Amino acid sequence: MKNNLFISVVALLTLISCNKEDAAFDNYAQIPESQNVESFCEKIDSLNNAYSEMLNDNATRGYVSDYAITSSADAVGAFVGAKLFSWAGSAIGAACANPALACGGYFIGKKIGRAAGSAAASIGAAWLIDKFGTRSTINTSLVLNEDYVVSIEDPNNLTEGELHNLILAELLKNIDKYVMPDGSLNYELLLSDAYMFENQFAPFEEYPGYKELWLPKAIEQTRRIVDASVTLESNNSALFLDEVYNGLIPELQITEEEFENANILNEKVLSTYTMLDNVTLKEFSKDIDDVIESSNLNDDLKDELKVSNSVMTNSTLIWREVQ
């Protein structure tokens, strides 16, 4: 009994230490003061307006893919996926009475879940767009340009968006295997492959039971994000985000304020992402990163917004290559 009590106390102290390192272990990220968020939004609005005015010049106007709006689902998938895999990693450690594993699982899971979650949500949203006939020409095959190559700056240091596109490209090459005879999506196979491809491109340490605990919850959450994607047919990003938030599984424990802050770019600048040509889009993305970095937002929110920017930028680029 004494030994068990001692182990419990050590576990508690270790988790408290873990909490301090990441601001909040259970709540994941502290919300910045409202004035910091407001100031950041004003700067993003100003930057967005400047680039929107450039669209009057045809030289900066890019090809607007029918699938570009799915970038909204990609960004949400990255944010929610990180939370979900972090929850799985933490739970595995707790189940093993291993505080170090719980803390490590949280940090590792945060990165793993982003790429796998965003790629799966991306495929699902595009599939739904075809299913409901929101494109001018319905094509359920989602054919990726065979000459397309994912643009990577540093193979040894992949950005979240680059990893997202590497996984998404592989899923698109095998798209037929994820659509079942009745026309529905095989979410289990889709997410399992996303997980596999991520480990292929960015190998990570796999803990016993990690995938098994994560997969059922990931299937349910991805299905909910995809179901919400039907609202994207009206190009209403705000409505889509509301639907996603209302459909979050309870294990994630994401507050409305936290969700809204992490999806600021999704709501404010997505339409500009999808309209700019590839070169100008990358310049816009870099300028957004600069605004994020120079802001007074807390580090957790900065990290989430940079991931959102990277995923939406790269998602826009790859979906322009899909017919």
Side-chain angles (χ1 to χ4, degrees):
M1 176 69 76
K2 290 182 178 179
N3 287 338
N4 289 336
L5 178 60
F6 175 74
I7 291 173
S8 299
V9 171
V10 171
L12 178 61
L13 291 175
T14 307
L15 283 177
I16 290 173
S17 175
C18 222
N19 288 348
K20 291 180 179 178
E21 292 179 8
D22 191 53
F25 185 74
D26 290 321
N27 295 324
Y28 297 113
Q30 292 181 339
I31 303 302
E33 295 181 354
S34 58
Q35 58 264 36
N36 291 334
V37 174
E38 183 178 351
S39 175
F40 171 75
C41 288
E42 290 175 355
K43 292 177 181 177
I44 288 296
D45 286 339
S46 178
L47 181 64
N48 188 52
N49 290 337
Y51 274 88
S52 295
E53 291 177 2
M54 294 172 61
L55 289 171
N56 295 325
D57 178 4
N58 288 332
T60 63
R61 185 175 292 275
Y63 163 61
V64 182
S65 166
D66 293 312
Y67 295 116
I69 192 64
T70 64
S71 299
S72 186
D74 296 35
V76 168
F79 172 68
V80 174
K83 299 294 186 184
L84 184 56
F85 225 124
S86 296
W87 164 82
S90 300
I92 288 292
C96 297
N98 188 332
L101 178 58
C103 192
Y106 166 70
F107 286 114
I108 294 172
K110 192 172 185 179
K111 183 173 180 61
I112 296 172
R114 281 172 174 165
S118 63
S122 189
I123 288 287
W127 163 80
L128 193 67
I129 285 175
D130 269 349
K131 179 180 178 181
F132 284 91
T134 57
R135 302 182 67 217
S136 56
T137 302
I138 301 177
N139 178 358
T140 56
S141 57
L142 297 175
V143 179
L144 178 64
N145 181 353
E146 62 181 14
D147 296 324
Y148 172 75
V149 177
V150 177
S151 177
I152 297 174
E153 292 186 9
D154 181 1
N156 296 317
N157 187 27
L158 295 173
T159 68
E160 304 285 356
E162 291 168 347
L163 181 56
H164 165 274
N165 278 13
L166 285 170
I167 298 171
L168 184 54
E170 293 301 319
L171 295 177
L172 285 167
K173 291 175 185 177
N174 299 278
I175 189 66
D176 290 341
K177 69 186 285 190
Y178 307 122
V179 182
M180 296 192 286
D182 63 357
S184 61
L185 274 183
N186 187 329
Y187 286 97
E188 181 174 0
L189 185 57
L190 177 64
L191 282 155
S192 293
D193 279 4
Y195 181 95
M196 175 187 69
F197 288 129
E198 176 162 8
N199 202 4
Q200 173 183 321
F201 293 117
F204 51 81
E205 182 178 0
E206 294 192 69
Y207 296 137
Y210 213 162
K211 181 181 175 183
E212 289 71 20
L213 180 63
W214 163 78
L215 189 57
K217 298 294 183 181
I219 290 172
E220 177 59 28
Q221 187 60 73
T222 302
R223 181 182 285 113
R224 294 186 185 191
I225 292 175
V226 171
D227 288 346
S229 298
V230 69
T231 60
L232 293 175
E233 63 181 324
S234 60
N235 290 338
N236 191 332
S237 181
L239 178 59
F240 166 68
L241 292 174
D242 285 342
E243 290 292 318
V244 171
Y245 182 76
N246 291 330
L248 292 177
I249 60 176
E251 287 84 355
L252 299 179
Q253 299 182 358
I254 300 174
T255 67
E256 185 173 3
E257 185 177 10
E258 181 185 3
F259 183 82
E260 289 178 352
N261 286 342
N263 285 283
I264 288 172
L265 299 180
N266 200 329
E267 185 169 356
K268 286 186 169 292
V269 300
L270 179 62
S271 61
T272 308
Y273 279 104
T274 62
M275 296 290 287
L276 294 171
D277 68 79
N278 290 0
V279 173
T280 312
L281 171 61
K282 292 178 181 178
E283 294 173 353
F284 183 44
S285 181
K286 183 181 181 303
D287 286 344
I288 288 176
D289 269 345
D290 290 341
V291 173
I292 295 172
E293 187 58 37
S294 63
S295 73
N296 292 322
L297 302 174
N298 68 47
D299 290 341
D300 285 328
L301 182 51
K302 283 184 178 182
D303 182 50
E304 295 290 359
L305 290 171
K306 286 179 181 178
V307 170
S308 179
N309 186 29
S310 179
V311 169
M312 285 197 288
T313 299
N314 283 274
S315 177
T316 300
L317 294 173
I318 191 173
W319 280 113
R320 286 176 176 173
E321 301 293 334
V322 177
Q323 299 178 351

